[in-house]
Amino acid sequence: MAKRYRLNALTGTGTIALALAMSGALAGCATVPAANDAPVAPVAAAQPDGEAQIAAILSRMSLENKVAQLIQPQINTVTAEEMRQYRWGSYLNGGNGGPYGEEFAPAGEWLRLADEMWDASTAPLPNGEPAVPTMWGTDAVHGHTNVIGATIFPHNIGLGATRDADLVRRIGHATAVEIEVTGIDWNFSPTVAVARDDRWGRTYESYSEDPRLVATMGAALIEGLQGRKGSDDFLGQGRVIATAKHFFGDGGTDQGVDQGDVNGDIDALKSIHAVPYPAAIAAGVETIMASFNSINGRKMHGNEALLTGVLRGEMGFDGLVVGDWNGHGQVAGCTVSNCPQSLMAGLDIYMVPDDAVALHTSLVSQVRDGTIPMARVDEAVTRVLRVKQAAGLLGPNAEKPSERANAGDMTKLGSPEHRSIAREAVAKSQVLLKNDGVLPFAAGTNVLVAGTAADSIAQASGGWTLTWQGGTELDNDMFPGATSIFAGIEQAARSGGGSATLSEDGNYTAKPDVAVVVFGEEPYAEFAGDRKTLVFPDDEGLDLLRKFDSEGVPTVAVFLSGRPLWMNRELNAADAFVASWLPGSEGAGVADVLFGARPATGKLSFSWPAGCDGKPLNSADGALFPLGYGRALTDTAPLPELDETCAFLGGGAAAEWYGNGRLANGIVATAGGTDLPNLRGTGGGVTAVGLDKDRQEDARRIAMAAGSALTLQGEGTGSFRISYSLEAAPSGPVSASSGSATTDLTTGLTLAAGKGWREMLLTPACLADAGNSLTIRTEAPLTFSLASVERVALPEGTACSF
């Protein structure tokens, strides 16, 4: 097995210590305990022969192949034949992408595709032009979780609660090994966002609201993924390329709106949101990803002052800057297939999942007409080549994916060693907020475990798990080798001479000694998880806790969430309350704390809100539990009765039934009696798949067979307003019904076909007795795209329209 050598060490200013010092200017920033961290190894000197090799390759490349190095399509659309033709410098799998169109393909298929892409990219070119190997990037954000059987570690918010940088470093190494098993080169991780508003749907991807803790943990994961900078195994066996993301300010958008605006004095913003990056650079991070958000109204993908001036000029980063999913298309004056502004601003690789060929054409043309100087192209390509060289992808010793260390060794995917690390991380991440003496459980305790989440590995894992958004439709069979929270409790109870019984609805015949209620947020990712308030909308956990209290059964609440939420009612109702975050595949780690096999050491990395609207940012004012709070099992001091008043409770059904790629809480989609969670999947002749409209998978492409029907069931009043598009006119009758009313859609849809995104209004003028459901029926095959469904109050007499 050939050893991978780093021929050119990227250097940069700043150290972890400098990053921590930068954050000292933060007024009111709570102090956190120092993480278990070790000194960064000295920087290796750059070796001239490495630069000479890169210069020689660059000098022999055609313009077309140089530009191809700067473009990154996704495996759902790019083929090996296209790779051979265009020689893309890199490619990725999106959150819902899988080899050969199979999202849940076994690990061996991922490796097979990696070989095919490698072979296509390295096939000889005419005229002696060098064939530069491609590289594959993936979002392994809490383990290699796109692949069935991988170890699923806690999400970053839980790792922040451990305060253990060495543990995070070991998690990075384990993740890198599992990535290597499938032949992938590059991980788009860690997220080093400093989340400042818990309403943001990506809060769980942040280690903390404290930038110093984020800096320490992010640097540790980088060292785990890549190896220590300057060490012999840097990007060697068991190591992959890491990415710090998203530069910068992604966690500071107004009201926590994903991809939104971050406003304020630039130096003040940098003192919070830029703090993790010097630490990441000092740790040797090879790549940094640009953020979707805007800074003072300017999109980061086109912000030269920050991408070049701050990141490179001030921070000294000379590595590779990669874009996020079509993020360049959001820059003013750009489209997804035409955006010289991003390259000129400092982006080196465009992540353009589905429009690679069109973007290639426009960039080549813009270099030829002088819009983009050749020197800028050469600079960006040089950075790409340096990363490939550092990862051992260039030169005579470069190996195709299946020939590398760990490749195809399926015993290392979800190995006992890696699962042990994950179990340790789960236990250390549990934060005990209340304990009236019910914990730890004594030997011989008979435990009832309740709640629909108790035996759901998918819900315990959250988003970015097998699919982009995750989902409770993923049953436990999809997670071989994993342990649910109930299974972990059952093992612990039996080993102590007791018992554990699963009863999702809380019913029992023999009264238990104690009940554990496992409940929480259903999985989500990115904008689909954005909230307007911090109210937890599902009363399942609260109802169970109150039921057991009325029956005289002591209770422990285990709350699964990607952020702190207003839980005053549940805290009052429970005898003990554990913030479990999103622990992943090793539910036994939760049981370890409940039974006292491990101490409760987790500390809040985010302050816990006292109110339900939105918490003050990084402040103890208004916090029920401050940053750093967490009880030991021996701390049984009573928690005062909490105020349960919240103006947002009982606000009625949401007006939006479906939007931003997600069904609203309480809205159910079915077809032929089959549930379609989050309006995805197949049932009753209906297939719904993700579609990009304005953002990644914020819409659905729906194919209906002849005689099929799709129903959305919910509550609300008013007319239906639907955002949709239809490429071809229906070939048979189509109708909509609600309550006792039915209206024919055929003529309206025929007129709307081929006219892009449109708005349909179904008012009392054509749907007089609208009820709590909406059903679309078709007598012939029908395919359409759906972006949103809302219930709206419209003026009396408003006509139906298409």
Side-chain angles (χ1 to χ4, degrees):
M1 189 66 66
K3 174 69 176 176
R4 290 190 284 180
Y5 291 96
R6 177 165 172 79
L7 299 179
N8 178 62
L10 301 181
T11 61
T13 61
T15 63
I16 292 178
L18 173 62
L20 303 188
M22 284 176 61
S23 67
L26 269 173
C29 183
T31 301
V32 299
N36 176 14
D37 204 1
V40 176
V43 177
Q47 298 186 25
D49 57 333
E51 286 297 292
Q53 180 193 30
I54 289 170
I57 293 172
L58 187 68
S59 68
R60 296 162 54 207
M61 293 179 71
S62 66
L63 171 61
E64 288 78 7
N65 283 344
K66 286 179 180 180
V67 169
Q69 290 297 307
L70 312 183
I71 293 177
Q72 184 180 87
Q74 66 153 333
I75 62 175
N76 281 15
T77 54
V78 69
T79 62
E81 290 75 20
E82 184 182 288
M83 177 66 75
R84 180 182 290 266
Q85 179 180 355
Y86 284 94
R87 307 302 173 108
W88 307 123
S90 59
Y91 61 104
L92 81 150
N93 60 279
N96 290 322
Y100 313 107
E102 176 51 58
E103 189 170 10
F104 305 124
E109 291 294 274
W110 295 73
L111 183 58
R112 181 163 74 93
L113 180 62
D115 270 359
E116 288 185 6
M117 291 297 195
W118 175 276
D119 289 343
S121 69
T122 57
L125 286 164
N127 303 320
E129 183 176 354
V132 179
T134 190
M135 57 184 174
W136 184 346
T138 189
D139 285 285
V141 298
H142 63 136
H144 193 25
T145 53
N146 287 287
V147 179
I148 289 176
T151 309
I152 305 171
F153 296 96
H155 271 293
N156 286 356
I157 192 170
L159 298 182
T162 71
R163 299 296 204 277
D164 190 337
D166 180 66
L167 172 63
V168 171
R169 199 173 286 110
R170 287 185 282 131
I171 287 170
H173 188 20
T175 300
V177 169
E178 297 199 15
I179 291 171
E180 278 193 330
V181 168
T182 57
I184 296 175
D185 311 282
W186 183 4
N187 185 13
F188 301 135
S189 177
T191 299
V192 292
V194 183
R196 308 291 280 186
D197 192 320
D198 296 344
R199 292 172 292 182
W200 185 39
R202 302 189 77 160
T203 296
Y204 66 78
E205 294 187 54
S206 174
Y207 292 106
S208 177
E209 67 188 34
D210 187 319
R212 297 169 296 179
L213 182 56
V214 175
T216 299
M217 294 304 201
L221 192 76
I222 289 164
E223 290 178 342
L225 289 167
Q226 296 189 162
R228 285 188 182 273
K229 187 174 181 178
S231 65
D232 288 342
D233 79 333
F234 186 74
L235 286 175
Q237 181 173 334
R239 308 294 183 180
V240 296
I241 302 160
T243 307
K245 65 183 188 183
H246 309 82
F247 188 85
F248 84 99
D250 47 350
T253 59
D254 184 37
Q255 300 185 57
V257 174
D258 191 55
Q259 303 186 21
D261 293 323
V262 183
N263 300 299
D265 175 76
I266 193 66
D267 288 331
L269 294 176
K270 284 161 58 179
S271 73
I272 299 171
H273 298 289
V275 167
Y277 288 93
I281 294 166
V285 71
E286 292 284 341
T287 67
I288 289 176
M289 184 178 288
S291 186
F292 278 122
N293 61 270
S294 302
I295 301 288
N296 293 323
R298 188 172 184 181
K299 283 288 182 181
M300 278 300 312
H301 277 68
N303 197 322
E304 183 179 6
L306 298 177
L307 284 182
T308 299
V310 172
L311 180 58
R312 298 199 184 279
E314 292 183 18
M315 296 183 179
F317 180 64
D318 60 355
L320 174 64
V321 175
V322 62
D324 207 343
W325 190 280
N326 285 333
H328 59 280
Q330 298 182 13
V331 174
C334 286
T335 66
V336 169
S337 59
N338 189 333
C339 191
Q341 294 95 317
S342 284
L343 187 65
M344 296 306 298
L347 200 74
D348 297 313
I349 290 181
Y350 294 82
M351 185 184 290
V352 55
D354 306 315
D355 295 274
V357 173
L359 179 62
H360 184 268
T361 299
S362 67
L363 287 173
V364 168
S365 175
Q366 287 152 3
V367 176
R368 286 182 172 148
D369 69 17
T371 302
I372 300 172
M374 180 63 80
R376 175 67 190 105
V377 173
D378 286 349
E379 178 183 53
V381 175
T382 296
R383 290 170 180 156
V384 175
L385 295 178
R386 282 176 179 160
V387 170
K388 292 183 177 184
Q389 182 188 75
L393 304 181
L394 301 182
N397 293 326
E399 298 168 316
K400 68 192 301 181
S402 63
E403 296 172 351
R404 300 174 193 162
N406 298 316
D409 186 352
M410 301 308 169
T411 65
K412 293 181 178 176
L413 191 69
S415 69
E417 178 187 5
H418 295 167
R419 293 190 184 278
S420 177
I421 297 171
R423 180 172 177 172
E424 177 187 349
V426 173
K428 289 182 174 179
S429 69
Q430 304 300 291
V431 179
L432 184 58
L433 298 180
K434 178 181 180 180
N435 183 18
D436 288 350
V438 67
L439 292 176
F441 298 147
T445 299
N446 297 314
V447 184
L448 183 74
V449 185
T452 55
D455 198 34
S456 173
I457 296 167
Q459 189 161 348
S461 300
W464 293 106
T465 305
L466 295 189
T467 66
W468 174 43
Q469 294 285 331
T472 53
E473 70 272 17
L474 302 170
D475 61 37
N476 287 354
D477 290 342
M478 300 289 286
F479 303 95
T483 304
S484 70
I485 292 173
F486 164 69
I489 292 173
E490 183 181 38
Q491 293 166 9
R494 287 183 178 176
S495 66
S499 66
T501 303
L502 177 65
S503 174
E504 290 188 357
D505 61 8
N507 291 324
Y508 54 83
T509 53
K511 186 176 180 179
D513 298 322
V514 66
V516 177
V517 179
V518 186
F519 67 105
E521 293 187 290
E522 292 198 357
Y524 56 81
E526 299 194 29
F527 57 86
D530 286 358
R531 290 187 179 276
K532 300 298 184 184
T533 74
L534 295 180
V535 174
F536 178 61
D538 190 344
D539 285 341
E540 178 201 25
L542 179 62
D543 291 343
L544 286 168
L545 290 168
R546 288 175 171 171
K547 162 186 154 56
F548 290 126
D549 181 58
S550 69
E551 295 166 354
V553 178
T555 54
V556 177
V558 174
F559 182 50
L560 303 175
S561 73
R563 54 194 145 198
L565 291 171
W566 181 77
M567 302 300 295
N568 286 16
R569 298 177 299 166
E570 291 83 354
L571 280 158
N572 283 339
D575 295 293
F577 190 102
V578 180
S580 194
W581 313 115
L582 299 170
S585 64
E586 306 312 305
V590 177
D592 286 340
V593 174
L594 300 183
F595 285 83
R598 284 184 178 270
T601 58
K603 305 295 180 185
L604 290 178
S605 57
F606 288 82
S607 50
W608 197 278
C612 64
D613 51 352
K615 73 176 182 63
L617 307 183
N618 197 42
S619 170
D621 297 333
L624 180 61
F625 305 112
L627 187 73
Y629 182 88
R631 293 189 175 199
L633 288 169
T634 54
D635 182 357
T636 58
L639 185 69
E641 192 76 7
L642 303 174
D643 181 11
E644 298 187 4
T645 303
C646 175
F648 295 99
L649 293 175
E656 185 176 70
W657 279 23
Y658 171 78
N660 279 331
R662 198 164 187 86
L663 291 170
N665 186 61
I667 309 300
V668 177
T670 59
T674 300
D675 285 345
L676 301 177
N678 276 325
L679 196 52
R680 283 192 63 189
T682 300
V686 175
T687 297
V689 298
L691 174 73
D692 295 356
K693 180 179 177 285
D694 300 318
R695 309 186 193 185
Q696 185 178 357
E697 294 204 6
D698 61 344
R700 294 289 183 267
R701 184 173 178 84
I702 298 173
M704 302 179 66
S708 64
L710 172 66
T711 298
L712 298 184
Q713 180 76 38
E715 295 182 358
T717 59
S719 302
F720 289 95
R721 181 165 61 196
I722 302 167
S723 174
Y724 76 104
S725 69
L726 185 73
E727 292 183 6
S731 57
V734 183
S735 65
S737 60
S738 182
S740 60
T742 298
T743 187
D744 185 79
L745 305 180
T746 312
T747 300
L749 293 179
T750 299
L751 295 172
K755 296 179 179 178
W757 287 97
R758 298 176 63 82
E759 183 175 273
M760 179 189 298
L761 292 180
L762 299 178
T763 73
C766 64
L767 210 59
D769 298 313
N772 292 335
S773 66
L774 176 66
T775 298
I776 306 296
R777 290 185 175 85
T778 180
E779 299 304 318
L782 176 71
T783 299
F784 64 98
S785 299
L786 183 68
S788 66
V789 178
E790 298 176 295
R791 299 298 298 267
V792 293
L794 297 173
E796 185 175 351
T798 300
C800 293
S801 63
F802 297 88

